[in-house]
Amino acid sequence: MNLLRGTTLSIVASIVLLAVPVTPRAQVTSGEQNAHFADPPSRVDATSLQKKATEAQARIHANKDDRDQLMIAVKTNEVPLAREVLLRNGFTAEDLENAKITLRTGGGKGGENEIEISAACCDPKEITIQRSLDYFTK
């Protein structure tokens, strides 16, 4: 009886092993990588995008017209207007292609308006523009 069970078990195990499909990895022969096995976006891309965000933020702070337009865009949640301001201040159309642009406004009354731009890469690229109102209580 034990011999029958052992034989049955080994037959079932063999069938299961044969039924599992084996997919070979893509082989690169011409120096090109298969898109399915390509490396994920590098840290360099994320650093580059954040650097552009920091540079754009500095340019926007220095240009009253762009700063005012961006504050209006954030206040009224107008992503196309924010996109235009970003394009004028160092971002490229490729940077903004398929990017999720989030506009946030801070709370409070009084204080100084500040614009902060941050970027995260990739899949999807995210650019966040935060308008903050510092409110100090005594």
Side-chain angles (χ1 to χ4, degrees), residues 7-23:
T7 306
T8 306
L9 187 57
S10 66
I11 292 172
V12 170
S14 298
I15 292 172
V16 169
L17 287 176
L18 291 175
V20 176
V22 177
T23 307

Side-chain angles (χ1 to χ4, degrees), residues 47-106:
T47 303
S48 173
L49 195 60
Q50 182 55 49
K51 183 178 178 187
K52 285 185 181 185
T54 303
E55 290 171 356
Q57 179 178 321
R59 286 186 190 121
I60 291 166
H61 279 283
N63 183 326
K64 183 181 179 336
D65 291 337
D66 281 344
R67 185 177 63 240
D68 290 347
Q69 273 195 325
L70 195 55
M71 286 192 184
I72 289 169
V74 172
K75 185 176 181 179
T76 59
N77 201 27
E78 291 184 54
V79 173
L81 180 57
R83 184 180 296 270
E84 287 177 27
V85 175
L86 292 174
L87 286 170
R88 285 195 303 264
N89 287 282
F91 280 92
T92 65
E94 184 179 327
D95 294 331
L96 301 179
E97 184 179 354
N98 298 322
K100 176 184 175 193
I101 298 176
T102 304
L103 306 176
R104 294 186 181 154
T105 185

